Amino acid sequence: MVVLSAWTRYSSDLTKAAATIADQFDTITLAPGSATASVFEDSRVLFGSLTAADTSLFPILSRLAEDGAKTVGYFYEDQTYTTEVCGAIPRIISAFSLELEVVHAAMVPAGPTEADISHVLDQYNKEPDIFIGCTYFEECVTSLRLMEERHFVPGAKIFTLCATDASFASQAGDAGLYTLTGAQWDPSLPYKDEYTNWTAQEFATN
């Protein structure tokens, strides 16, 4: 039996609880909104469809390093998904021998205030080549507006779960220009999966 588990939304404690129940009943369960390893690691029957959180920044970090970036700074919300995404940055740099130096890293509370984000920006004497925010949408928009107000202009700005949102352009305005965000399963992406050798469009079709 296969269950499309719409109630296991995101990488949450609810999803982990659902996985435990699915294991008890030996029922294959899909958690299409989950991406963190901690949700899947103890389950035999839970499967996802998103890029693993702890590897999602590798393509963009490696590309920017190839293009000459040397320094990276990042901050992340104290939540499971955001912590796993940004927490993997040092490991990615080391494992793939990227010539990047982490100049600053910080954790902020879940749902950080403007003061929390401002404190992060205060720590920089010079903008890094790459600035990464592992946040959710509202916090991303707040960060971008604060960066614009402070004339904080890194070589590249990357935020999770942000620029692909349909309301991003209207919410962020000019502050959101040139913001990079990892995209999931967009038909326009040309990249091929290492296991199936399909693009996202080919996966959906096949």
Side-chain angles (χ1 to χ4, degrees), residues 31-54:
S34 300
T36 60
S38 59
V39 169
F40 298 94
E41 60 189 2
D42 295 323
S43 176
R44 298 176 296 104
V45 298
L46 184 68
F47 296 87
S49 60
L50 300 180
T51 303
D54 61 355

Side-chain angles (χ1 to χ4, degrees), residues 3-12 14-16 18-19 28-36 39-40 45-50:
V3 177
L4 177 59
S5 186
W7 40 272
T8 59
R9 191 180 182 200
Y10 301 134
S11 302
S12 65
L14 176 60
T15 303
K16 295 181 74 171
I28 295 175
T29 302
L30 306 181
S34 300
T36 60
V39 169
F40 298 94
V45 298
L46 184 68
F47 296 87
S49 60
L50 300 180

Side-chain angles (χ1 to χ4, degrees), residues 114-198:
E114 287 192 10
D116 293 323
I117 299 169
S118 292
H119 180 70
V120 170
L121 299 178
D122 286 341
Q123 307 310 305
Y124 291 87
N125 295 320
K126 178 183 178 182
E127 294 94 334
D129 296 328
I130 306 169
F131 182 72
I132 302 173
C134 293
T135 68
Y136 286 92
F137 181 76
E138 291 183 5
E139 293 74 25
C140 165
V141 171
T142 298
S143 299
L144 292 170
R145 287 177 175 167
L146 288 171
M147 290 167 66
E148 182 182 49
E149 290 173 7
R150 290 164 167 259
H151 304 289
F152 184 88
V153 186
K157 50 185 177 180
I158 304 164
F159 280 84
T160 56
L161 306 175
C162 193
T164 53
D165 189 283
S167 65
F168 176 73
S170 61
Q171 293 289 322
D174 289 347
L177 292 174
Y178 311 112
T179 300
L180 302 175
T181 294
Q184 299 280 0
W185 296 102
D186 189 284
S188 67
L189 295 175
Y191 311 113
K192 292 189 175 184
D193 177 80
E194 62 181 298
Y195 301 105
T196 64
N197 200 38
W198 292 338

